[in-house]
Amino acid sequence: MAALPRLLGASSAALVLWAGFCSAVCVEVPSETEAVQGKDMKLLCISCMKREEVTATTMVEWYYRPDGGKDELIYKHKNTNYELPSRFSGRLQWNGSKDMQDVSITVVNVTLNDSGVYTCNITREFEFEIHRPLFTSSRTIYLTVVEEAGEDFTSVISEIMMYILLVFLTLWLLIEMVYCYRKVSKAEEAAQENATDYLAIPSENKENCAVPVEE
């Protein structure tokens, strides 16, 4: 049942790898906004840099704000990782890339109380010869934690299409089998009729049915 979604997932992964090899392009993909209780949730935060901006010192700060509450600094990264005391203590992992364009973190063993607003603040100090400008950017994730994972609409459509394809192939195979069976049966019936007609010919007339041999 999951064969088609796995195939689509493999095709998507191959496409991403192909795009990565063909051109080193940074794409600012938005993070998922729904997590499942008891699972790990990656809070995706990507801030792309241009080629001429690669040399930079980057500081990342992650904030969390519950419904009706205030922003609380929960994680900080500058050359090393700092996990601030909070409800997430021991449950935050750094998932950023070496070039610091991906500055994501993962919340381990998500709970229902982890719903809220997550903000990723990026500060870059670029190292140019004449000056050292600062660049800041921010990403906001409105996360909702549910008890059980809902059925993905794309997966449902994929499974329906797979069942339709299986039914079509099954019917086509049955039709081909019936056609071949009837064709073979008619050939056998024709052979039997020819044999019966030949046996019904009187023995004195069977010589006329023989094929003459040329000398």
Side-chain angles (χ1 to χ4, degrees):
M1 182 174 63
L4 186 56
R6 285 201 300 269
L7 180 60
L8 293 175
S11 301
S12 300
L15 182 60
V16 171
L17 289 175
W18 176 83
F21 282 116
C22 291
S23 60
V25 178
C26 176
V27 181
E28 297 187 5
V29 182
S31 176
E32 294 185 2
T33 58
E34 184 176 280
V36 181
Q37 181 183 14
K39 303 293 184 180
D40 296 347
M41 175 64 185
K42 182 176 182 179
L43 301 174
L44 189 63
C45 181
I46 298 177
S47 179
C48 299
M49 291 189 294
K50 300 178 182 178
R51 291 185 178 181
E52 62 269 18
E53 299 175 341
V54 171
T55 304
T57 301
T58 303
M59 181 179 70
V60 182
E61 293 179 327
W62 277 93
Y63 289 85
Y64 168 73
R65 183 175 76 246
D67 294 336
K70 297 181 179 180
D71 286 330
E72 174 187 1
L73 181 62
I74 60 174
Y75 201 88
K76 183 176 181 180
H77 179 91
K78 186 178 182 180
N79 299 324
T80 187
N81 303 323
Y82 300 94
E83 183 178 353
L84 285 300
S86 66
R87 70 174 70 191
F88 302 97
S89 295
R91 295 195 296 126
L92 298 178
Q93 295 179 353
W94 176 255
N95 277 142
S97 58
K98 291 183 179 181
D99 60 6
M100 295 300 293
Q101 299 202 72
D102 182 355
V103 292
S104 307
I105 62 173
T106 295
V107 182
V108 179
N109 191 21
V110 174
T111 68
L112 294 176
N113 293 328
D114 293 339
S115 296
V117 181
Y118 294 81
T119 304
C120 170
N121 291 336
I122 305 103
T123 302
R124 301 191 194 276
E125 183 179 3
F126 295 102
E127 302 173 4
F128 295 117
E129 294 181 359
I130 301 176
H131 61 300
R132 301 171 69 90
L134 289 176
F135 170 79
T136 59
S137 62
S138 181
R139 305 286 185 274
T140 302
I141 303 171
Y142 298 89
L143 185 68
T144 301
V145 181
V146 296
E147 294 184 358
E148 296 180 356
E151 189 73 19
D152 183 65
F153 181 74
T154 304
S155 299
V156 173
I157 295 299
S158 299
E159 291 181 5
I160 292 176
M161 294 300 295
M162 183 184 66
Y163 285 129
I164 293 175
L165 181 61
L166 288 176
V167 171
F168 173 78
L169 291 176
T170 303
L171 291 176
W172 177 81
L173 182 60
L174 289 174
I175 292 174
E176 286 292 323
M177 291 177 62
V178 171
Y179 172 77
C180 292
Y181 176 78
R182 294 182 63 181
K183 187 174 182 180
V184 172
S185 297
K186 288 183 178 180
E188 291 180 351
E189 290 177 358
Q192 290 178 358
E193 289 179 359
N194 291 335
T196 302
D197 293 341
Y198 179 77
L199 293 175
I201 298 175
S203 57
E204 61 273 10
N205 295 332
K206 287 184 180 180
E207 296 179 356
N208 299 329
C209 297
V211 178
V213 178
E214 297 182 359
E215 296 183 357

